[in-house]
Amino acid sequence: MDETGAPVSEALVSIVESTVPMPEIALVSDSRGSFALRLPPGLFTFRAHGAGGIGEAEVEGAPADEEIVIVIGG
């Protein structure tokens, strides 16, 4: 999402750091700014590049239905 809370479609999302071995993964958010990915236990830093800039979020490997929010810009 951007700084106003609006979804950012077609943002490129990747894992840039993790505490467990991970292959290089890049995803593109859909028209609602969403993406889906299953993660093993561990800590992960996601980076999103989209209209308005770049954002990062650190998350713990969690159930597939947990929401990860990455604010892009600012």
Side-chain angles (χ1 to χ4, degrees), residues 13-20 22 27 35 37-47 55-64 66-71:
V13 181
S14 59
I15 297 173
V16 294
E17 288 186 46
S18 68
T19 58
V20 297
M22 288 292 294
L27 305 162
F35 65 94
L37 178 66
R38 288 190 174 265
L39 296 171
L43 293 174
F44 303 88
T45 301
F46 284 83
R47 182 174 295 149
E56 286 192 0
E58 187 173 288
V59 299
E60 194 165 340
E66 184 170 321
E67 183 176 5
I68 299 169
V69 176
I70 304 171
V71 178

Side-chain angles (χ1 to χ4, degrees), residues 1-8 50-56 69-74:
M1 77 173 59
D2 66 16
E3 294 175 308
T4 68
V8 177
I54 299 171
E56 286 192 0
V69 176
I70 304 171
V71 178
I72 295 176

